[in-house]
Amino acid sequence: MSAHTTVPTKNCYRDIRTATIADPEQTLYKIFSIGGTTGWYYANWLWQLRGFIDEIFGGPGLRRGRSHPNNIHTGEALDVWRVAYANREERRLLLYAEMKLPGEAWLEFYIDENNVLHQTATYVAHGLAGHLYWYAVLPFHGFIFKEMIKALAKAQ
């Protein structure tokens, strides 16, 4: 993995999920197709609601979509995210949130050498509002991220 693209590991909140996958190429295709018209593989209406709320507060919302249906490159906009790192050979996609938040957020997908998919949401809270935000969205993360990784890992 790129040593130059890292996510905080200290003083942050993390939602870490893993799933063993049968078809890494299919899962990688799904990962690199996420967002835009493809959606987020689970509870798309909640992602749309979050995008709408972001627009109300002056963020980009979901209106940016994505530039290509299944190719993505470092630096591109992807809905409310910026692609911080995208490398198919390393089987890694790292997104950085550009939505209005009382903190900083990353969403990472990585398939390791044992064909285990790692999905990690990381959040660094800024002040009391940041901590309150994390706990307010935690119940949603509980089922959204659980079902999203299942959908990504599922062979079709």
Side-chain angles (χ1 to χ4, degrees):
M1 275 195 275
S2 171
H4 302 291
T5 309
T6 59
V7 178
T9 57
K10 296 188 186 321
N11 299 321
C12 59
Y13 296 103
R14 298 178 89 195
D15 182 298
I16 301 170
R17 309 215 178 233
T18 60
T20 301
I21 54 176
D23 187 345
E25 289 308 312
Q26 180 186 38
T27 298
L28 192 61
Y29 181 85
K30 288 179 183 179
I31 290 168
F32 275 74
S33 300
I34 203 164
T37 57
T38 301
W40 293 85
Y41 299 108
Y42 185 75
N44 283 321
W45 69 273
L46 284 172
W47 287 98
Q48 291 168 348
L49 176 62
R50 181 61 183 98
F52 176 72
I53 292 168
D54 187 57
E55 284 188 48
I56 289 172
F57 287 96
L62 300 180
R63 66 181 176 269
R64 300 186 305 186
R66 53 179 299 142
S67 60
H68 189 277
N70 56 16
N71 286 324
I72 195 154
H73 302 283
T74 300
E76 288 184 20
L78 173 60
D79 293 336
V80 296
W81 304 91
R82 178 70 54 186
V83 180
Y85 190 73
N87 188 310
R88 284 185 189 266
E89 288 76 35
E90 292 180 11
R91 307 192 306 181
R92 182 179 180 215
L93 177 64
L94 175 63
L95 306 174
Y96 176 76
E98 292 188 324
M99 64 187 104
K100 296 294 183 179
L101 293 168
E104 298 176 66
W106 292 262
L107 183 57
E108 182 173 21
F109 303 94
Y110 169 63
I111 301 172
D112 70 20
E113 64 279 355
N114 297 313
N115 291 333
V116 174
L117 171 60
H118 301 260
Q119 174 187 285
T120 306
T122 303
Y123 181 71
V124 176
H126 292 175
L128 179 60
H131 294 283
L132 293 174
Y133 174 83
W134 174 260
Y135 286 108
V137 298
L138 190 59
F140 299 103
H141 286 177
F143 65 87
I144 290 172
F145 290 141
K146 174 184 171 188
E147 296 302 324
M148 184 166 55
I149 196 169
K150 278 186 194 177
L152 287 167
K154 182 180 177 185
Q156 293 184 4

